[in-house]
Amino acid sequence: MYSRTGAAAYKKDITNTVKLCAFLGDPQARLKSVHIAGTNGKGSTSHMLASIFMMAGYKTGLYTSPHLKDFRERIKVDGEMIPEDNVTEFVERIRPVIREIEPSFFEITVGMAFDYFVKQQVDIAIIEVGLGGRLDSTNILTPELSIITNISWDHMDILGDSLEKIAIEKAGIIKSGVPVVVGEHNKATYYIFEKKAREEKAILTFADKKRYVGNWNFEHNLLVAEVTRSHTDEKTFYSLDLGGIYQVRNLLTVLEAVAALRQQGWDLAEPHVINGLRQVKKLTGLHGRWEIIHEHPLIILDVAHNEEGIKAVTDQLESTTYHHLLIVLGIVKDKEIDHVLNLLPKTATYFFTRAQIPRALPEDQLLNKARAAGLHGHHFPDVNTALKTAVSHADKDDLILVCGSVFVVGEVDKKSLPG
């Protein structure tokens, strides 16, 4: 499967998904949904929207990938994971079509999600694109709203070697007559979205043209953002239980998405938005986004793994108070590793490691590449050995950051932490 092995497992074709869903009675045709693509932020955006819908009283399906600990994290209804019995029953039921078309892990999982959401009679399903957009298994939906959070460098081996090519793949989720919200206006790519939206007669809005965040600060472990409407100067304060400063960009995308959904008759009142954003982690179970798991020393998990994600994390480090920085780092082979390493602070002490998947870059190779980038530390065979060693070297005022891969964060054993 792609999560473990990389590009060799990726199928640039949605034929199998179409066949599998036909076998299931085309559940996607019976779902009301919001479809979310983008290089970074699509997972956080998906969870924020799900939380708002739940707060508004809608029965809400949420499909995201990858998972951190348990496969069932990918498929949730009102924050509860799909039961194990439903997973095994589904696989047994589709055995005939598995033998016939040999679907991929992604294709089976998408079919399972759509089938489960229909059986649960959800009011809305928030569906995160797995990879790209145009040829992603999820792209057989006709949603209520399409969202593209942003465009930056990632998966160039699959999606293309320029921002324009990557944008074309993401723009592939824009459907005929379906409104689309793009989170960030980018000079290099905006025309691609405008052209596609024009062809599909889809209303297009850029979220960062509608609102901006004037100020932000932290209060009681909440990120408080002052959001101003661009044309009226009307200000509203929102508090997020997601601590990453980069979430303010996702917040703007979510607010414009809510505005578009209201126009279609969805009852998403301002109190639902405010209260939903305060409880994203509690209601949806989102983890791994600037997630504080220990204090004294401060231990933070973040799934940042590409250039833009790592840049957001390093920006946040500059706004965080600590004595010394220790970083537990593991990266998969198919990332722009040198670009990522060049963004990381050279004054930190590094504990290089690897997740236990075939895609992971061996820790000794990562160490050698890091040394060439001016980073210094030692390598360890697994994430928890690296983290335990970092803790043993840390004083109570230090900060330990675990990042570089979703899979590295997913393998952290919180039970083994001190205290």
Side-chain angles (χ1 to χ4, degrees):
M1 70 189 183
Y2 177 80
S3 297
R4 290 179 57 79
T5 59
Y10 177 66
K11 294 184 180 179
K12 292 188 175 184
D13 193 326
I14 61 171
T15 303
N16 269 359
T17 310
V18 171
K19 289 179 178 177
L20 175 56
C21 285
F23 177 85
L24 296 168
D26 287 320
Q28 78 283 357
R30 289 173 278 157
L31 280 178
K32 290 185 180 294
S33 62
V34 178
H35 198 198
I36 304 178
T39 305
N40 290 300
K42 60 183 183 291
S44 295
T45 298
S46 298
H47 284 78
M48 285 186 204
L49 267 180
S51 186
I52 291 167
F53 270 107
M54 289 164 64
M55 190 57 64
Y58 291 106
K59 191 170 187 179
T60 305
L62 177 61
Y63 171 77
T64 57
S65 62
H67 60 271
L68 289 179
K69 299 283 187 185
D70 187 325
F71 164 79
R72 298 178 302 132
E73 294 168 27
R74 295 169 180 249
I75 303 171
K76 295 180 180 178
V77 172
D78 285 347
E80 296 294 325
M81 294 188 293
I82 181 173
E84 288 183 6
D85 287 350
N86 290 74
V87 175
T88 54
E89 180 277 327
F90 178 83
V91 174
E92 287 299 322
R93 178 156 44 99
I94 67 165
R95 279 195 187 279
V97 79
I98 289 177
R99 285 192 290 268
E100 179 188 342
I101 66 174
E102 297 183 348
S104 71
F105 168 83
F106 271 141
E107 289 161 350
I108 291 172
T109 308
V110 167
M112 184 186 301
F114 292 172
D115 182 73
Y116 182 63
F117 292 155
V118 166
K119 283 183 164 52
Q120 290 294 304
Q121 297 181 313
V122 300
D123 298 312
I124 189 74
I126 312 299
I127 307 294
E128 179 192 357
V129 166
L131 180 62
R134 183 174 63 95
L135 298 173
D136 187 72
S137 296
T138 62
N139 202 31
I140 62 171
L141 286 168
T142 300
E144 303 281 291
L145 177 71
S146 302
I147 299 173
I148 301 168
T149 57
N150 61 15
I151 301 298
S152 61
W153 301 101
D154 202 6
H155 299 297
M156 284 86 79
D157 55 331
I158 293 172
L159 302 181
D161 57 4
S162 70
L163 288 181
E164 289 84 355
K165 289 178 181 176
I166 294 171
I168 288 169
E169 294 301 314
K170 310 287 188 194
I173 73 164
I174 299 175
K175 303 292 197 312
S176 177
V178 176
V180 55
V181 171
V182 176
E184 298 174 20
H185 187 277
N186 184 316
K187 289 181 180 178
T189 58
Y190 78 92
Y191 70 93
I192 291 168
F193 300 121
E194 289 187 339
K195 178 175 182 289
K196 179 67 171 175
R198 197 164 51 246
E199 290 170 355
E200 298 292 346
K201 296 182 171 56
I203 297 170
L204 167 67
T205 54
F206 289 92
D208 58 357
K209 296 290 186 182
K210 297 286 188 176
R211 297 170 185 79
Y212 63 90
V213 175
N215 294 293
W216 57 263
N217 66 301
F218 290 101
E219 295 178 9
H220 309 296
N221 290 327
L222 294 172
L223 174 63
V224 181
E226 178 192 86
V227 177
T228 304
R229 286 180 177 269
S230 299
H231 299 299
T232 66
D233 288 337
E234 177 190 345
K235 291 177 170 53
T236 309
F237 289 87
Y238 296 95
S239 299
L240 285 76
D241 65 346
L242 306 177
I245 298 167
Y246 52 81
Q247 298 292 3
V248 298
R249 288 180 290 179
N250 297 326
L251 172 62
L252 296 180
T253 305
V254 168
L255 293 176
E256 186 54 31
V258 166
L261 288 160
R262 282 173 179 156
Q263 290 182 352
Q264 296 183 62
W266 292 92
D267 181 18
L268 302 172
E270 193 63 13
H272 302 146
V273 177
I274 290 170
N275 292 322
L277 292 171
R278 288 180 68 94
Q279 303 177 72
V280 178
K281 289 195 289 189
K282 177 183 174 184
L283 293 177
T284 69
L286 178 63
H287 294 287
R289 276 71 171 182
W290 199 258
E291 180 183 4
I292 297 171
I293 62 168
H294 191 269
E295 294 184 357
H296 310 302
L298 195 61
I299 303 177
I300 295 174
L301 309 180
D302 200 289
V303 296
H305 57 274
N306 54 30
E307 256 186 278
E308 184 174 303
I310 293 293
K311 177 68 167 61
V313 166
T314 56
D315 287 347
Q316 179 125 11
L317 286 170
E318 292 178 7
S319 304
T320 306
T321 302
Y322 55 85
H323 180 254
H324 182 61
L325 177 63
L326 304 91
I327 297 181
V328 176
L329 182 71
I331 300 177
V332 294
K333 297 172 188 172
D334 47 48
K335 298 298 174 187
E336 292 290 295
I337 295 166
D338 293 336
H339 292 177
V340 167
L341 293 174
N342 286 328
L343 289 170
L344 291 165
K346 292 177 172 52
T347 54
T349 300
Y350 286 85
F351 300 79
F352 301 104
T353 188
R354 58 168 295 162
Q356 304 306 302
I357 59 169
R359 273 176 77 196
L361 181 70
E363 63 277 12
D364 55 339
Q365 294 181 32
L366 178 57
L367 171 63
N368 291 334
K369 286 179 175 289
R371 281 177 176 162
L375 309 180
H376 302 285
H378 299 280
H379 66 77
F380 302 86
D382 64 85
V383 175
N384 289 298
T385 301
L387 179 55
K388 285 177 186 175
T389 309
V391 169
S392 71
H393 284 75
D395 292 329
K396 65 182 179 62
D397 294 327
D398 291 345
L399 190 159
I400 301 171
L401 172 66
V402 182
C403 67
S405 163
V406 172
F407 310 104
V408 165
V409 169
E411 289 181 10
V412 170
D413 180 8
K414 297 178 186 177
K415 294 175 185 175
S416 67
L417 296 174

